[in-house]
Amino acid sequence: MNLGSTLTKVLEDVLVESIPRPIALHEPEVTAEEEEYVLKCVKSGWLSSVGSYVEKFESELCSLTGAQHAVAMASGTSALQLALYALGVKPGDEVLVPALSFVATANAVAHCGAVPHFVDVDETNLAVDPQLLARHLSDIATQRDGLVWNRHTGRRLAAIVPVHVLGLAADVFAISRVALDFQIPMLEDAAEAVGTTINGRHCGTLGVAGMLSFNGNKTITTGNGGAVITSDSGLAQRLRHISSTAKKPHPWRYDHDEIGWNYRLPNLNAALGCAQLKRLDSILERKRILHQNYKKAFEPYSCFNLFNEHKNTRSNYWLSAVRISGISLDEREQILTECHAHGFMCRPLWTLLPDLPMFRTAPATSLNAARLLEREVVCLPSGPRLAISSTE
Ligand SMILES: *Cc1c(COP(=O)(O)O)cnc(C)c1O
């Protein structure tokens, strides 16, 4: 049997007939609870960026993650952009990011006028490989005037942004040690990792700050939205200031002391987010069951290797994904065509960022692992509604 039909057969087994086709990669789950919260918000008249739901959402994000502060923003991209900006990333700087990520990671760097510097990833957790990073930095980094520079490009190395890919935890304990050694601030892109922990610590809390996303296809959603989490009160205060209109507090005067972005999350979206957060445990539990169902179903097929959480980490299993070692790009496209024909909206990983036209001239390490993963990984439908527990 060819790989495409084997995969669709496994998917037919896990995603039983009673689930209507086509099955999206990840659908938001919205219940009467969300409707009630949003309606209450509409009736309150507080629809814009000030309101009690924004405060509630931020404080609940703190409880969830253990961060001291959360600043809700209009998207994950804007949250990451402002976090980089507030950390002092300037036009002409370089920011180390993985070559394998969603485009938003590199876009946020570019929005600061900085240049992404792409690094290779670890084949087992899809994230920045701390050993490779350390070796690469030993090669290129040099200290001058209390700052860190890329000796090849002459640009300042202003930050490192590891990404927790598909909700699997990156080895941020090791990456943060490397970042500390080279005195480069680490900012975690935890957009895909709401609910993922490492040694009990929530993703996004190991560096100076972390970013979460609440886009419609993420684990929980505010429609569109994001947040910066941090335990640095100065940074949080500054983010609050510049993500609004940078107005000096006063009952009626319009005095602004710098250029503000107006990137805050509207109260209406925060209301949706509060209801989603209330149901996060249930969503995570069912995504775990779905992942277990995939695990069982793929067991007989050694050509399909499911990505599982590493020891001491707990994944939110945002997207379950399999690696099909040795396949060509053509074979991958055939497999995806067959999946789609059966109503399974599987997706590959992202085209490597340095291959996109806007980042083609950016510096990069050799990308052996990232290139293999780009070709060999297929992401599977992973919404919480798809979990059929074995007792049903
Ligand atoms: C979703 C995502 C973002 C942010 O996306 P927004 O749609 O702007 O919220 C950033 N990085 C990664 C890796 C993502 O998956």
Side-chain angles (χ1 to χ4, degrees):
M1 206 156 54
N2 75 39
L3 289 164
S5 8
T6 312
L7 182 54
T8 49
K9 186 186 158 299
V10 171
L11 291 172
E12 298 282 4
D13 282 350
V14 174
L15 308 172
V16 296
E17 236 174 307
S18 57
I19 304 170
R21 272 55 169 161
I23 301 179
L25 188 69
H26 201 285
E27 259 175 27
E29 184 185 59
V30 178
T31 67
E33 190 128 43
E34 279 78 1
E35 285 176 26
E36 188 192 310
Y37 272 60
V38 171
L39 194 60
K40 248 197 212 157
C41 180
V42 169
K43 287 183 174 159
S44 79
W46 293 90
L47 307 179
S48 203
S49 51
V50 178
S52 60
Y53 284 108
V54 176
E55 285 165 32
K56 183 173 156 69
F57 188 56
E58 289 179 338
S59 105
E60 284 171 4
L61 285 177
C62 290
S63 315
L64 170 72
T65 60
Q68 304 269 304
H69 309 276
V71 185
M73 301 219 198
S75 70
T77 309
S78 50
L80 188 58
Q81 178 196 337
L82 286 201
L84 288 165
Y85 178 82
L87 281 177
V89 174
K90 293 190 172 52
D93 285 345
E94 264 173 39
V95 175
L96 295 142
V97 300
L100 184 72
S101 182
F102 181 56
V103 67
T105 314
N107 284 350
V109 172
H111 288 318
C112 292
V115 177
H117 180 135
F118 297 109
V119 297
D120 204 6
V121 297
D122 177 306
E123 286 185 47
T124 65
N125 67 6
L126 308 167
V128 169
D129 180 330
Q131 264 121 38
L132 276 179
L133 178 70
R135 249 181 285 140
H136 183 57
L137 285 173
S138 304
D139 262 3
I140 65 159
T142 176
Q143 299 241 359
R144 183 164 31 89
D145 312 324
L147 299 171
V148 193
W149 303 83
N150 179 340
R151 73 170 105 229
H152 300 302
T153 62
R155 286 190 285 250
R156 186 170 77 101
L157 295 168
I160 156 109
V161 182
V163 179
H164 301 279
V165 177
L166 308 185
L168 299 166
D171 188 359
V172 272
F173 278 94
I175 298 167
S176 69
R177 276 195 297 274
V178 177
L180 205 65
D181 276 352
F182 286 89
Q183 296 180 23
I184 302 172
M186 179 179 91
L187 206 162
E188 293 171 68
D189 179 339
E192 301 173 2
V194 171
T196 298
T197 57
I198 322 148
N199 293 345
R201 296 266 300 264
H202 196 283
C203 286
T205 60
L206 270 107
V208 271
M211 177 272 277
L212 309 173
S213 166
F214 310 108
N215 188 275
N217 71 348
K218 296 282 157 65
T219 300
I220 55 167
T221 186
T222 57
N224 211 355
V228 179
I229 53 174
T230 181
S231 288
D232 178 331
S233 349
L235 181 64
Q237 208 177 353
R238 176 139 173 74
L239 283 168
R240 260 177 225 296
H241 194 59
I242 61 175
S243 63
S244 58
T245 62
K247 191 170 94 63
K248 291 201 280 189
H250 191 278
W252 55 80
R253 270 192 219 148
Y254 294 106
D255 275 343
H256 308 266
D257 56 10
E258 62 180 305
I259 297 169
W261 265 269
N262 191 18
Y263 276 0
R264 289 288 273 162
L265 183 73
N267 202 42
L268 196 52
N269 299 69
L272 182 57
C274 289
Q276 289 263 287
L277 268 182
K278 220 171 139 188
R279 296 192 309 97
L280 177 62
D281 285 346
S282 146
I283 290 170
L284 291 177
E285 194 180 303
R286 283 172 294 137
K287 286 169 72 60
R288 246 185 134 68
I289 291 172
L290 176 64
H291 186 82
Q292 288 306 319
N293 293 348
Y294 277 135
K295 202 168 167 180
K296 247 182 272 158
F298 279 113
E299 233 153 48
Y301 305 101
S302 57
C303 45
F304 296 100
N305 287 294
L306 196 67
F307 287 91
N308 296 310
E309 64 196 1
H310 281 197
K311 212 161 54 102
N312 302 328
T313 75
R314 194 171 170 88
S315 174
N316 66 4
Y317 287 121
W318 173 52
L319 293 184
S320 290
V322 279
R323 181 169 181 180
I324 314 166
S325 293
I327 56 168
S328 66
L329 201 57
D330 276 352
E331 286 171 304
R332 185 195 80 186
E333 294 303 286
Q334 275 168 22
I335 292 167
L336 287 168
T337 305
E338 191 150 352
C339 288
H340 279 235
H342 282 79
F344 304 118
M345 305 290 106
C346 299
R347 300 285 287 268
L349 286 174
W350 313 278
T351 300
L352 293 194
L353 298 177
D355 291 341
L356 300 177
M358 55 286 193
F359 301 123
R360 222 162 252 162
T361 57
T365 65
S366 65
L367 300 171
N368 301 329
R371 290 212 181 278
L372 283 174
L373 294 167
E374 178 193 27
R375 198 171 65 219
E376 298 180 347
V377 176
V378 172
C379 299
L380 311 171
S382 301
R385 286 234 159 99
L386 306 178
I388 309 295
S389 76
S390 40
T391 53
E392 273 177 61

